Amino acid sequence: MMDMMLMLSLALLSLGILGSVYRLIKGPSMNDRIIALDTIGVILLSIVAVLSMLLRTFAYLDIILLIGILTFIGTTALARYIERGDVIERTND
Amino acid sequence: MINEIGELLIGLLVLFGAVLSVVSAFGLIRLPDVYLRSHAATKSATLGVLLILTGAFLYFMIYVEHTSAKLILGIIFVFITSPVAGHLNGRAAYRSGIPMWDKSRFDELRPVIQKEIEEHGLNRQSNTKTRGKQ
């Protein structure tokens, strides 16, 4: 029964990624696209977790940490770039 | 006995997390504004991923008998960083002059930013002014 529930959650999660891809393509401003990318990263992380439960292996658990860190760094860098015009601040402010 | 209860509990946790992620994507499609979309995406997607990772942690603890420190680390990391990313993104959206929804009534940040411009001059805000409304 649990395998069926896990398969159903995989289908629901891919539906969520599909909705975020719609906002990623259409979004009127750049921040909409950043939000959509963040959501895609988070949902991808949960897909990896469900998949590692479904395959009964814990070899994929590193990927969860990696995707989490990459999503956070990407969102932060893009938001800073939009707000200030550069990612790393220069000293001659 | 414990196996069946654990199976039902983990399945329900994962399923509820997936439903929350779908609700978040639905809000991302339907809501009218950057700030409201950020509200939908940040909160419910974070809760959904926390539930799914908790389910995975319980699964590996009960069935594989492998208490995974990586999963605990991932849970804490997502729980800390996802609201921070949402906040940074909303701040960047407001400061680069993206308009709010036309039916929104209160804007309590506008006087604060006006005061900041008057005190510090325009040079930190020049990015805001030149970019204008999109």
Side-chain angles (χ1 to χ4, degrees):
Chain A
M1 190 180 70
M2 194 176 73
D3 280 355
M4 215 179 66
M5 278 172 148
L6 291 184
M7 294 293 270
L8 188 61
S9 348
L10 275 185
L12 284 177
L13 287 171
S14 31
L15 204 65
I17 282 192
L18 207 64
S20 309
V21 165
Y22 169 77
R23 182 52 70 196
L24 180 66
I25 294 173
K26 187 161 178 296
S29 71
M30 203 64 200
N31 292 92
D32 288 309
R33 299 194 170 98
I34 297 175
I35 291 172
L37 268 182
D38 192 29
T39 313
I40 285 177
V42 164
I43 295 178
L44 203 63
L45 196 148
S46 25
I47 281 184
V48 173
V50 175
L51 209 59
S52 73
M53 270 190 276
L54 206 58
L55 298 180
R56 281 179 169 269
T57 169
F58 48 85
Y60 291 161
L61 297 186
D62 294 328
I63 308 177
I64 293 177
L65 272 177
L66 199 63
I67 293 179
I69 293 169
L70 282 182
T71 305
F72 176 63
I73 291 177
T75 308
T76 312
L78 279 171
R80 278 184 75 96
Y81 178 69
I82 283 183
E83 187 179 358
R84 312 209 172 150
D86 54 353
V87 179
I88 299 169
E89 279 192 44
R90 303 185 198 104
T91 49
N92 51 0
D93 201 347
Chain B
M1 185 62 190
I2 184 77
N3 279 347
E4 290 168 1
I5 292 178
E7 197 166 312
L8 190 65
L9 182 68
I10 292 167
L12 281 182
L13 272 178
V14 173
L15 203 59
F16 191 56
V19 168
L20 272 178
S21 298
V22 172
V23 166
S24 135
F26 185 70
L28 207 58
I29 294 176
R30 283 288 294 168
L31 288 176
D33 192 1
V34 182
Y35 312 102
L36 297 175
R37 277 177 214 137
S38 154
H39 159 81
T42 308
K43 287 172 188 149
S44 54
T46 307
L47 185 58
V49 93
L50 283 186
L51 287 180
I52 288 180
L53 286 185
T54 310
F57 178 72
L58 285 180
Y59 178 83
F60 284 115
M61 200 173 71
I62 292 176
Y63 294 104
V64 193
E65 296 189 349
H66 170 259
T67 305
S68 166
K70 287 174 207 159
L71 270 176
I72 298 180
L73 211 58
I75 289 174
I76 294 174
F77 190 78
V78 169
F79 185 63
I80 291 175
T81 59
S82 184
V84 174
H87 168 74
L88 276 178
N89 196 14
R91 176 188 155 106
Y94 194 87
R95 298 220 170 200
S96 62
I98 293 173
M100 296 171 80
W101 189 31
D102 50 357
K103 284 184 188 165
S104 54
R105 288 175 155 184
F106 296 112
D107 188 0
E108 292 178 342
L109 189 55
R110 176 64 70 192
V112 179
I113 287 189
Q114 290 290 338
K115 198 173 156 193
E116 188 176 307
I117 289 175
E118 283 168 9
E119 284 178 0
H120 295 286
L122 274 177
N123 45 6
R124 276 202 65 185
Q125 303 290 327
S126 59
N127 192 12
T128 308
K129 288 303 164 187
T130 54
R131 202 167 288 218
K133 309 271 183 190
Q134 301 196 10

